[in-house]
Amino acid sequence: MDASRKDIHNSDIPVLCQSCEARHKGMCGVLDSVQLTALARSTRMIRYEAGAELAAESMPVESYANVMHGVVKLSKVLEDGRQQIVGLQFAPDFLGRLFSKENAVTAEAASDVDLCRVPKPALERLVAENPALEHRLMEQTLRELDDAREWMVTLGRKTAAEKVASFLYLIATQLDPAATGGRRVFDLPLTRTDIADFLGLTIETVSRQLSKLRADRVVIIIGIRHVEIPDLAALKRRCG
């Protein structure tokens, strides 16, 4: 048995945490049973439907959360109402900026989302007492920074075709990172409008590039959002 999963039936682990598939790769993976028990007293699992606002830009931070399932859309809004999607989060990403007083972005459920929420004071107190937890959250933050820089290259240098392929590759690899083999099946968490916003393209361009990928049999699109990738390597080659 995988050593990382041996504790799933350990009575010292809180019931809330025993069946958590995101725990070992997320921030809680560095916590022992005593620390998990202390944290579990404050946490609560909440399901949000697609479109629900999870945090509003410039509003006070009252809690943090781990993404357990689904996709979270991060965006910023200009004074005239224009919106720019600045990132996507998947399980087991950490939602929120540690020690901030206000939210820097608006977080919205792009799909149905399960969050494990913890009050701001409870988590910040635990971070202050646990260098390993602080280190894990720092690693996640730096990974998000690296991902943001990579996406800047996509937006600034890639063609429209490469941008759409890169977006599909991102979703295919993030929604089921443990999957083996070259085939992936998923539902798009974003609408065509959101995809266009995220990629800096028009809706017509996104639709045209998706149609081309489908005609070339790189992807199979059923209905509006259901996508099948027969060969992930073939899609990656289209990412530039």
Side-chain angles (χ1 to χ4, degrees), residues 15-17 19-22 40 42-48 66-69 113-118:
V15 174
L16 179 67
C17 305
S19 60
C20 175
E21 292 300 324
S42 302
T43 59
R44 56 191 181 124
M45 288 285 297
I46 308 176
R47 166 159 287 194
Y48 296 89
N66 253 5
V67 181
M68 312 304 291
H69 178 267
V113 170
D114 292 327
L115 295 184
C116 184
R117 281 201 176 273
V118 56

Side-chain angles (χ1 to χ4, degrees), residues 25 30 132-146:
K25 293 182 179 180
V30 298
L133 176 58
E134 184 177 33
H135 182 77
R136 174 63 65 90
L137 290 172
M138 176 65 75
E139 285 183 327
Q140 287 191 313
T141 300
L142 292 175
R143 178 179 55 77
E144 288 190 16
L145 177 59
D146 289 340

Side-chain angles (χ1 to χ4, degrees), residues 4-214:
S4 67
R5 303 301 296 167
K6 285 182 179 178
D7 64 357
I8 197 164
H9 298 299
N10 187 333
S11 60
D12 292 335
I13 302 297
V15 174
L16 179 67
C17 305
Q18 287 180 11
S19 60
C20 175
E21 292 300 324
R23 172 163 61 90
H24 295 282
K25 293 182 179 180
M27 68 172 187
C28 296
V30 298
L31 302 180
D32 59 30
S33 59
V34 174
Q35 293 163 338
L36 279 173
T37 299
L39 187 62
R41 294 193 185 103
S42 302
T43 59
R44 56 191 181 124
M45 288 285 297
I46 308 176
R47 166 159 287 194
Y48 296 89
E49 294 184 353
E53 186 177 80
L54 311 178
E57 184 178 354
S58 300
M59 293 299 291
V61 176
E62 298 179 347
S63 66
Y64 303 111
N66 253 5
V67 181
M68 312 304 291
H69 178 267
V71 182
V72 174
K73 177 177 68 175
L74 306 178
S75 62
K76 293 187 73 69
V77 180
L78 300 179
E79 290 183 358
D80 61 5
R82 286 177 294 167
Q83 173 188 271
Q84 175 64 52
I85 298 176
V86 296
L88 299 175
Q89 289 191 308
F90 309 84
D93 286 341
F94 179 74
L95 178 59
R97 185 172 178 176
L98 203 60
F99 303 119
S100 291
K101 294 182 179 179
E102 294 183 349
N103 294 309
V105 296
T106 294
E108 181 181 326
S111 65
D112 290 345
V113 170
D114 292 327
L115 295 184
C116 184
R117 281 201 176 273
V118 56
K120 185 176 189 290
L123 183 60
E124 292 184 356
R125 183 169 56 251
L126 187 57
V127 169
E129 299 169 352
N130 191 321
L133 176 58
E134 184 177 33
H135 182 77
R136 174 63 65 90
L137 290 172
M138 176 65 75
E139 285 183 327
Q140 287 191 313
T141 300
L142 292 175
R143 178 179 55 77
E144 288 190 16
L145 177 59
D146 289 340
D147 291 343
R149 287 170 172 168
E150 287 290 337
W151 201 249
M152 286 177 65
V153 175
T154 295
L155 297 180
R157 288 289 176 245
K158 291 188 178 183
T159 66
E162 291 168 343
K163 287 180 180 181
V164 173
S166 296
F167 170 76
L168 292 175
Y169 187 82
L170 171 70
I171 301 301
T173 53
Q174 290 294 330
L175 285 185
D176 192 5
T180 58
R183 186 172 181 270
R184 296 291 190 278
V185 179
F186 57 90
D187 288 332
L188 285 173
L190 301 185
T191 64
R192 294 288 194 276
T193 301
D194 281 344
I195 295 173
D197 176 30
F198 190 41
L199 298 178
L201 302 172
T202 65
I203 299 174
E204 293 77 15
T205 299
V206 169
S207 296
R208 187 162 53 248
Q209 295 304 327
L210 287 173
S211 296
K212 185 175 181 180
L213 288 170
R214 180 169 52 189

